[in-house]
């Protein structure tokens, strides 16, 4: 077997572990339960899952781990997280590399997905791109000259906290994540139901399927509250991405995340950027596209990319 | 004499030329008139000025030229400009290096000023910073790991075109440059005078000294129109810079430009960023300061920096 790395994608519910080849093929993978009862239990769950998975694995040359929260990639330290109770920095890379006897690298999940794009996605066409994931929240990775732009503490790309002002007749506090993310849209809906108690979103909520996709669906069917929320999400994302094009002058803008199941969203962003971005920035932009990477694989491919990135440096 | 470079700072009115040492000392400099009647006359004015200045200069090893508009720094081509009528790309670096028999490098004026900061300003303390110039317009340069972040066509940093929404009770279209730049503030004032014909800004306008500084002064004296414009400029800049801190995660944020003659502005930005930026981004930020570089020298130092930057690569 050719040499491969282990990718470990740590989420609040599951830990997905898999062997990934240099060409981005997932050779073998398995899902484990995450434990978020305490920091200690979370770390133990990660270590034990890796331990179990690697019983039958050979040819591994490195491990890459994708984590939520603030990660010091250089030092291999998981600094903090909110969904998973990490309150004291954990030197997870050192801890695991001693145990596993191979190099271990960490990064946050958005940088990981961006590296997957660089290796096996849009990076095949360009060395300068922005990756934006719009799901429950909004995350962004920045690549220039085939390198991640990390900022001073590996925290660059917090586009969800970009203030773009109130959307006319909309709800919310003017931040991109509040207006445009899945989680934000649900919050807007719950808030809006006070003013629109007869909205279909009320039954969706009671039935437990109030999501961005059902809000978009209700908007298409003319529900007034859903229409406000859907419109402001679409407009907000278009404004936000135009800011990003003007600020970063990327060659490609590539999107991932559940929000783009709504097919009109990408077309709307293309049109708005085309009309509102600065001419030079707009003309330099070769594409606004949805990722080709499979939604279910991107976490694992991203985690593996962290390891592959560092292998190339060795 | 030690080796030195020639810095050429090209503006719409003047061309400033000077000899700059590796430590950032301006050995000798002279101002020439710019000609913006046509593209041909503009290029001729630049060439003749350099020709004249270098009659008595020796020890020069390279020339750096700072230009307005869109510059392809890699190819040494002045692609386009608006204030100066450049409508066809000019291969100015090649043109001049043949004539002057030494390497010639170009870049835009904001990147140039940012490089001056990197060499002789905030760059002495950090390798990751953002430089924002607020004068007639707003420009931004991004430095990560002591390198300029240029984007795909050397056009990154167009923060003036960042949309941040309407400021409550303010005027304007929601773009940072309209709200916060000197030019934008004057436009807001002229627009606002229709609603506030008795404002002191009306006399300032007639007397020909309607500037950001006089608007700030009138606001301090309680003029209602000036107060609206000053307040929205201060708030807008604070919001905009908070977005920048969240997006770029810099270690230092350094400001230049005439707007910062208003002493309360920087303090207001510090306070707002401290209250509104994300905790990790805020804690990574070591300083929000005004540049130490002399306002009158920065154009020349910037132009020279373009040449020094490339010397180091040789």
């Amino acid at each position: 077997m050719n040499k491969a790395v282990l990718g470990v994608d740590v989420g609040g519910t599951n830990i997905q572990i898999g062997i990934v080849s240099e060409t981005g093929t997932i050779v073998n993978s398995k899902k484990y339960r995450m434990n978020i009862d305490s920091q200690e239990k979370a770390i133990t769950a990660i270590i034990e899952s890796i331990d179990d998975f690697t019983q039958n694995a050979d040819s591994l040359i490195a491990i890459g781990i994708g984590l939520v929260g603030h990660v010091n990639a250089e030092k291999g330290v998981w600094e903090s997280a909110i969904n998973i109770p990490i309150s004291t920095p954990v030197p997870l890379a050192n801890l695991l590399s001693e145990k596993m006897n191979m190099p271990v690298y960490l990064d946050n999940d958005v940088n990981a997905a961006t590296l997957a794009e660089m290796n096996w996605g849009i990076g095949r066409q360009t060395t300068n791109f922005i990756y934006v994931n719009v799901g429950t929240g909004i995350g962004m990775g920045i690549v220039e000259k085939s390198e991640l732009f990390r900022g001073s503490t590996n925290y660059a790309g917090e586009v969800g906290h970009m203030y773009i002002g109130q959307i006319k007749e909309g709800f919310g506090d003017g931040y991109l994540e509040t207006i445009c993310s899945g989680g934000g849209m649900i919050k807007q809906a719950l808030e809006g139901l006070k003013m629109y108690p007869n909205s279909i979103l009320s039954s969706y909520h009671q039935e437990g399927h109030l999501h961005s996709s059902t809000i978009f669906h209700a908007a298409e069917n003319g529900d007034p509250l859903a229409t406000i929320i859907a419109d402001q999400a679409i407009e907000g994302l278009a404004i936000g991405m135009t800011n990003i094009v003007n600020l970063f002058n990327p060659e490609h803008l590539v999107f991932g995340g559940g929000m783009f199941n709504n097919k009109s969203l990408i077309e709307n962003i293309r049109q708005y950027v085309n009309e509102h971005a600065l001419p030079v920035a707009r003309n330099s932009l070769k594409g606004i596209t949805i990722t080709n990477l499979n939604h279910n694989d991107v976490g694992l491919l991203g985690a593996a990319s962290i390891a592959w990135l560092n292998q190339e440096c060795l």
Side-chain angles (χ1 to χ4, degrees), chain A:
Chain A
M1 193 184 140
N2 287 329
K3 56 184 184 173
V5 302
L6 194 73
V8 182
D9 177 30
V10 178
T13 313
N14 295 308
I15 302 166
Q16 208 187 348
I17 305 188
I19 297 173
V20 180
S21 78
E22 200 161 3
T23 55
T25 304
I26 297 173
V27 180
N28 179 18
S29 74
K30 191 173 170 185
K31 236 177 219 178
Y32 293 84
R33 295 281 296 169
M34 180 55 173
N35 188 325
I36 58 168
D37 290 345
S38 69
Q39 170 158 337
E40 204 191 330
K41 287 184 182 172
I43 301 300
T44 304
I46 295 170
I47 294 176
E48 288 184 354
S49 308
I50 295 174
D51 211 24
D52 178 78
F53 189 90
T54 50
Q55 293 302 318
N56 305 312
D58 51 9
S59 311
L60 291 176
I61 54 168
I63 300 176
I65 309 181
L67 300 159
V68 293
H70 184 211
V71 178
N72 184 327
E74 212 178 321
K75 294 193 176 159
V77 174
W78 194 3
E79 296 280 352
S80 62
I82 296 167
N83 296 356
I84 299 173
I86 301 300
S87 49
T88 314
V90 186
L92 192 58
N94 275 346
L95 225 147
L96 268 166
S97 69
E98 273 177 33
K99 189 173 165 48
M100 303 301 297
N101 208 20
M102 67 179 90
V104 177
Y105 306 97
L106 319 179
D107 212 328
N108 69 57
D109 55 347
V110 182
N111 279 352
T114 308
L115 290 172
E117 278 299 329
M118 188 165 95
N119 287 335
W120 305 305
I122 198 74
R124 290 181 167 164
Q125 296 169 51
T126 180
T127 58
N128 280 54
F129 69 90
I130 301 272
Y131 168 76
V132 180
N133 186 290
V134 191
T136 309
I138 303 186
M140 179 170 93
I142 305 138
V143 172
E144 162 138 307
K145 292 186 203 157
S146 301
E147 271 199 45
L148 267 182
F149 179 97
R150 296 179 178 276
S152 65
T153 55
N154 201 31
Y155 209 67
E158 282 292 346
V159 69
H161 293 265
M162 182 164 65
Y163 184 85
I164 59 161
Q166 303 270 345
I167 305 286
K168 217 169 152 184
E169 291 171 28
F171 305 96
D173 57 7
Y175 287 91
L176 206 64
E177 193 156 274
T178 316
I179 301 169
C180 308
S181 71
M185 287 177 75
I186 292 170
K187 258 193 205 161
Q188 305 306 308
L190 295 178
E191 188 61 29
L193 279 174
K194 296 173 192 160
M195 284 164 65
Y196 295 83
N198 298 324
S199 163
I200 183 83
L201 300 186
S202 174
S203 0
Y204 288 176
H205 175 48
Q206 281 154 32
E207 293 157 12
H209 50 85
L210 181 61
H211 310 299
S212 63
S213 60
T214 53
I215 296 173
F216 279 124
H217 184 73
E220 277 161 28
N221 289 331
D223 181 84
L225 174 59
T227 301
I228 293 173
I229 295 165
D231 283 357
Q232 75 173 9
I234 292 168
E235 189 180 339
L237 209 50
I239 291 173
M241 294 306 107
T242 305
N243 283 349
I244 293 305
V245 167
N246 287 334
L247 285 169
F248 291 93
N249 181 209
E251 192 169 73
H252 281 268
L253 188 55
V254 62
F255 291 101
M259 197 73 134
F260 288 89
N261 292 333
N262 178 314
K263 296 297 171 206
S264 65
L265 199 53
I266 187 90
E267 195 42 60
N268 196 281
I269 294 172
R270 283 192 192 115
Q271 196 177 329
Y272 193 94
V273 168
N274 201 38
E275 284 168 12
H276 291 84
L278 289 168
V280 174
R282 188 182 68 209
N283 293 335
S284 313
L285 190 64
K286 293 191 178 159
I288 298 180
T289 50
I290 295 173
T291 178
N292 285 323
L293 299 181
N294 185 303
H295 180 67
N296 296 317
D297 293 344
V298 71
L300 199 50
L301 291 176
S305 293
I306 302 169
W308 279 121
L309 175 79
N310 284 285
Q311 284 316 107
E312 286 158 10
C313 296
L314 289 180

